[in-house]
């Protein structure tokens, strides 16, 4: 049995990466998704084990100490990280796994797993990104401004990735991501 691949997906808030990944998993339910561990409280609409495992700060710090994470970050007082074991298990079983992380997490994973394939989901334009963030209607003007500033900083790092996919059409972006995965399956050692 051949080993599975590790695919790291990043993109700024509003780039549509969750929507693209949802379309990808609908087309390819056999793909594995890496569930992040986090120390913040669960938000309305979130479910344990769907996108995140909600754990205590003490347990997370124990995971750091025992090198059980591929990457981790501290953001607004909470830890976020990617547990190593589920990723290694998927790969050893021959399953491809998607890890959705920010640019800092992606950089950490590249150092630990140089064979990981990195994909940056890019919004079609800054204006469209702003429109998407404002269209959510869930955040203040000030917070949207902070998200846009953060997005610019992330976009500046897109060149660190193996692939950049512009999300101007969700189906096309998901198809492009699937093409990346399929081409990596065919790559020689």
């Amino acid at each position: 049995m051949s080993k599975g691949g590790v695919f790291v997906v990043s993109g700024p808030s509003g780039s549509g990466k969750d929507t693209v990944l949802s379309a990808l998993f609908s087309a390819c339910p056999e793909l594995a998704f890496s569930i992040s561990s986090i120390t913040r409280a669960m938000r309305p609409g979130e479910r344990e084990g769907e996108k995140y495992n909600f754990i205590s700060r003490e347990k997370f710090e124990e995971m750091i100490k025992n090198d059980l994470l591929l990457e981790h970050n501290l953001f607004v007082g909470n830890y976020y990280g990617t547990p190593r074991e589920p990723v290694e298990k998927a790969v050893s079983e021959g399953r491809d796994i998607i890890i959705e992380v920010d640019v800092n997490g992606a950089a950490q994973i590249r150092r630990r797993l140089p064979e990981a394939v990195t994909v940056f989901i890019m919004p079609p334009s800054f204006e469209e990104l702003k429109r998407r963030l404002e269209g959510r209607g869930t955040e203040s003007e000030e917070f949207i401004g902070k998200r846009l500033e953060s997005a610019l900083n992330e976009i500046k790092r897109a060149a660190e990735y193996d692939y950049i996919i512009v999300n101007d059409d969700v189906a096309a972006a998901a198809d492009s991501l699937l093409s990346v995965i399929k081409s990596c399956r065919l790559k020689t050692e």
Side-chain angles (χ1 to χ4, degrees):
M1 173 171 45
S2 63
K3 287 175 42 173
V6 176
F7 297 87
V8 179
V9 178
S10 303
S13 180
S15 64
K17 63 186 171 299
D18 287 338
T19 308
V20 169
L21 288 174
S22 179
L24 175 71
F25 284 111
S26 289
C28 298
E30 72 277 7
L31 291 171
F33 179 73
S34 174
I35 298 170
S36 297
S37 291
I38 62 174
T39 61
R40 71 163 169 74
M42 193 181 306
R43 295 177 182 153
E46 291 181 326
R47 289 199 305 259
E48 174 68 30
E50 189 171 83
K51 188 170 179 178
Y52 301 113
N53 287 319
F54 299 89
I55 65 173
S56 71
R57 186 177 191 90
E58 294 75 28
K59 184 172 180 182
F60 197 102
E61 288 173 346
E62 190 71 21
M63 291 172 77
I64 294 170
K65 183 177 140 189
N66 292 317
D67 196 30
L68 300 176
L69 298 163
L70 289 175
E71 61 82 31
H72 68 278
N73 285 301
L74 185 62
F75 180 72
V76 194
N78 292 300
Y79 284 113
Y80 292 71
T82 302
R84 175 191 301 275
E85 191 271 329
V87 174
E88 291 175 345
K89 184 175 188 280
V91 169
S92 70
E93 292 172 349
R95 296 181 68 206
D96 294 320
I97 186 163
I98 306 291
I99 304 173
E100 181 188 347
V101 292
D102 68 6
V103 293
N104 296 319
Q108 290 179 50
I109 292 172
R110 273 193 301 276
R111 285 191 294 276
R112 287 180 169 259
L113 299 174
E115 69 278 12
V117 176
T118 56
V119 180
F120 192 88
I121 305 294
M122 182 80 75
S125 68
F126 189 73
E127 292 75 26
E128 176 62 14
L129 179 67
K130 186 175 187 216
R131 188 192 67 71
R132 289 176 184 178
L133 290 173
E134 289 172 344
R136 291 178 176 173
T138 58
E139 296 162 347
S140 68
E141 288 264 340
E142 180 185 356
F143 198 72
I144 289 171
K146 288 180 180 177
R147 282 205 186 266
L148 289 170
E149 183 179 326
S150 175
L152 280 176
N153 290 327
E154 290 180 63
I155 289 168
K156 288 176 185 174
R157 294 183 61 186
E160 297 173 11
Y161 287 72
D162 298 314
Y163 297 91
I164 296 174
I165 296 173
V166 177
N167 181 20
D168 52 0
D169 175 90
V170 172
D175 191 50
S176 293
L177 183 51
L178 181 56
S179 294
V180 168
I181 294 167
K182 286 180 176 180
S183 70
C184 290
R185 288 177 185 161
L186 300 173
K187 191 174 181 182
T188 60
E189 292 291 320

